[in-house]
Amino acid sequence: MSETVVPREAAPAPASTPASAPERPAHRDPNVLRWVAAFTLSAVGDNVYYMALAWAAARSGSPAQAGVVLAVGAVPRAVLMLGGGVLADRWGPRRVVIGSDAARCVVMFAVAVLALTAPGLWPLIAVALVFGVVDALFLPAVGALPPRITAPGQLARVQGMRGLAARVATVTGGPLGGLLVAFGGSPAAFAAAGALFAVSLALLVAVRIKALPVREAAEGPMEATGAGPWRELTDGLRHLRRHRVLGPLMLVIALSELGFVGPLNIGLVLLAQERGWGAGGMGWIVAAFGVGAGAASLLLTVRGHLPRAGLVLCLSVVAGALAIGALAFVQTVALAAVAGLLVGLLAGLGGGLCGALTQTLTEPAYLGRVTSVATLFTLGIAPLSYPVTGAAVGLWGTGPVFVVSAAVCAAGGALGLAFAGLRRAELPGGRAR
């Protein structure tokens, strides 16, 4: 059955332009810049929120109980992520993102008032659970927005800008949260997070959304067919399974994240302890990783297009895996920092290309659900490898664990190379003006 899918919140599509008309570069498009600013402020708010939650939990219970409060929010995020993708496709990603930011704003201001009374652990656990549910809605929707705010040839540049925004949020959010907690306690930090979400919300409301064309026949719009949520979810997974590029791409994302997340988080802490590098040495490695990831995002932002994107993506994953494995053998902080720089550069490049290919190749009617699958692997399932990595290091040491993790990551890149569709995948080459 043929169909015409137009998001309910979308304005009428503008008149078509000649195929040779140059595209406006994303970094010069006020509409894209509003979206990037909104995303940045929301990400900074996330970091401030986690700092405030950690401080409030530590003051209300034991270290172990504080850890439970911080971890409990990951459960609804992992369980409900795919459902969030279904809602993004049914209601439109802009509507879901705006609703999510509004909910974050309300929750933060409410918990700021609650924090004035020194709440116990249970109210904080409730807040973490609610925030996890909102995350499960927000993340797939925000990932599905870029194709609706810019031209296809600018999606790689938008991914680079998003990567830079994430770096800025990481660098500024933690220190800002710490200062707020130091001078005003957790109530001030929660209130500041609410204010950041409020400004982000105002910017999102001002973002203009365009309708997306349908590139393939599907079974019909969700609302027209009256399909239930489960049917919508299975339709999205079937779309992934049948697609000659997206299916292999999700496998690459899953394996590379499983091999990457554990070593570069809990594994790096244990490696620094084992080698006697201390917190300062680990800080240099993490900083080098951040510089590498930021450089990759800057490259995508400036270039806007890389030829043979699928091949570059797979090779970046394999090369990044080698850099992860190298961390098991270096004996000095300087060499470990170089390895961290390479890991950040290659992982940042691969991640940006994954996002751009996903948004370029996915049928618009399925974009929220496909994005939710990718996000589930990166932010839902992969973090569950933390305890496995820690236990494995305790049994066999950091060297073997880093090598095995690098092998898992490399397997993802090698698998991508084995699929001709992904290996030959290209991004649209937009002509900037």
Side-chain angles (χ1 to χ4, degrees), residues 57 70 157 159 243 248 270 297 303 307 336 339 373 390 400 402:
L70 295 176
R157 178 170 278 133
Q159 289 303 307
H243 200 287
L270 300 175
S297 297
R303 287 292 304 273
V373 173
F402 270 77

Side-chain angles (χ1 to χ4, degrees), residues 291-327:
V291 170
S297 297
L298 184 61
L299 172 65
L300 289 174
T301 300
V302 173
R303 287 292 304 273
H305 172 75
L306 290 179
R308 309 191 72 177
L311 179 61
V312 173
L313 160 65
C314 296
L315 293 178
S316 296
V317 172
V318 174
L322 295 176
I324 292 174
L327 285 169

Side-chain angles (χ1 to χ4, degrees), residues 49-75:
Y49 155 72
Y50 285 117
M51 180 67 70
L53 185 67
W55 180 259
R59 290 177 60 87
S60 300
S62 67
Q65 290 171 325
V68 170
V69 172
L70 295 176
V72 74
V75 177

Side-chain angles (χ1 to χ4, degrees), residues 206-307:
V207 172
R208 300 187 307 276
I209 301 296
K210 67 177 183 178
L212 292 179
V214 176
R215 295 190 298 270
E216 73 176 37
E219 296 185 11
M222 295 181 189
E223 298 167 23
T225 61
W230 181 252
R231 171 68 182 278
E232 294 166 11
L233 176 57
T234 56
D235 283 349
L237 296 177
R238 188 180 303 115
H239 174 70
L240 265 179
R241 180 173 58 84
R242 293 176 176 176
H243 200 287
R244 62 192 297 265
V245 178
L246 292 175
L249 180 60
M250 293 302 120
L251 293 177
V252 173
I253 291 173
L255 288 173
S256 60
E257 286 292 331
L258 286 174
F260 168 84
V261 169
L264 268 296
N265 287 277
I266 184 66
L268 188 58
V269 175
L270 300 175
L271 179 67
Q273 291 178 348
E274 183 180 285
R275 301 285 167 83
W277 295 337
M282 187 185 72
W284 281 109
I285 301 170
V286 171
F289 171 84
V291 170
S297 297
L298 184 61
L299 172 65
L300 289 174
T301 300
V302 173
R303 287 292 304 273
H305 172 75
L306 290 179

Side-chain angles (χ1 to χ4, degrees), residues 2-397:
S2 62
E3 64 175 14
T4 301
V5 176
V6 179
R8 282 193 272 181
E9 77 272 26
S16 60
T17 56
S20 60
E23 297 174 353
R24 172 181 289 183
H27 62 284
R28 298 177 185 173
D29 187 341
N31 197 46
V32 175
L33 294 177
R34 281 192 292 271
W35 176 82
V36 172
F39 176 81
T40 304
L41 290 170
S42 182
V44 174
D46 280 341
N47 283 277
V48 172
Y49 155 72
Y50 285 117
M51 180 67 70
L53 185 67
W55 180 259
R59 290 177 60 87
S60 300
S62 67
Q65 290 171 325
V68 170
V69 172
L70 295 176
V72 74
V75 177
R77 185 172 62 191
V79 172
L80 301 176
M81 187 76 71
L82 297 180
V86 170
L87 292 181
D89 286 335
R90 172 175 281 273
W91 294 343
R94 179 174 180 267
R95 181 175 298 177
V96 175
V97 167
I98 289 175
S100 300
D101 253 4
R104 292 175 179 210
C105 182
V106 171
V107 170
M108 288 300 98
F109 285 132
V111 75
V113 175
L114 181 66
L116 293 172
T117 64
L121 288 174
W122 286 110
L124 296 176
I125 289 175
V127 169
L129 287 171
V130 170
F131 210 85
V133 171
V134 175
D135 263 353
L137 302 178
F138 176 83
L139 293 170
V142 77
L145 270 178
R148 291 172 166 84
I149 62 175
T150 191
Q154 298 298 312
L155 287 174
R157 178 170 278 133
V158 170
Q159 289 303 307
M161 295 168 70
R162 182 180 178 181
L164 287 173
R167 293 295 116 199
V168 170
T170 300
V171 170
T172 61
L176 176 60
L179 287 173
L180 289 166
V181 167
F183 289 101
S186 55
F190 283 126
L196 288 165
F197 293 137
V199 179
S200 172
L201 175 62
L203 290 169
L204 286 171
V205 170
V207 172
R208 300 187 307 276
I209 301 296
K210 67 177 183 178
L212 292 179
V214 176
R215 295 190 298 270
E216 73 176 37
E219 296 185 11
M222 295 181 189
E223 298 167 23
T225 61
W230 181 252
R231 171 68 182 278
E232 294 166 11
L233 176 57
T234 56
D235 283 349
L237 296 177
R238 188 180 303 115
H239 174 70
L240 265 179
R241 180 173 58 84
R242 293 176 176 176
H243 200 287
R244 62 192 297 265
V245 178
L246 292 175
L249 180 60
M250 293 302 120
L251 293 177
V252 173
I253 291 173
L255 288 173
S256 60
E257 286 292 331
L258 286 174
F260 168 84
V261 169
L264 268 296
N265 287 277
I266 184 66
L268 188 58
V269 175
L270 300 175
L271 179 67
Q273 291 178 348
E274 183 180 285
R275 301 285 167 83
W277 295 337
M282 187 185 72
W284 281 109
I285 301 170
V286 171
F289 171 84
V291 170
S297 297
L298 184 61
L299 172 65
L300 289 174
T301 300
V302 173
R303 287 292 304 273
H305 172 75
L306 290 179
R308 309 191 72 177
L311 179 61
V312 173
L313 160 65
C314 296
L315 293 178
S316 296
V317 172
V318 174
L322 295 176
I324 292 174
L327 285 169
F329 301 99
V330 297
Q331 299 298 320
T332 66
V333 172
L335 290 176
V338 172
L341 177 71
L342 293 175
V343 172
L345 178 64
L346 295 164
L349 181 60
L353 291 175
C354 278
L357 285 171
T358 298
Q359 293 167 352
T360 300
L361 300 174
T362 302
E363 167 65 29
Y366 297 103
L367 190 53
R369 283 165 284 179
V370 171
T371 302
S372 72
V373 173
T375 309
L376 177 64
F377 288 134
T378 56
L379 297 176
I381 295 177
L384 299 179
S385 65
Y386 292 167
V388 176
T389 301
V393 169
L395 290 173
W396 300 297

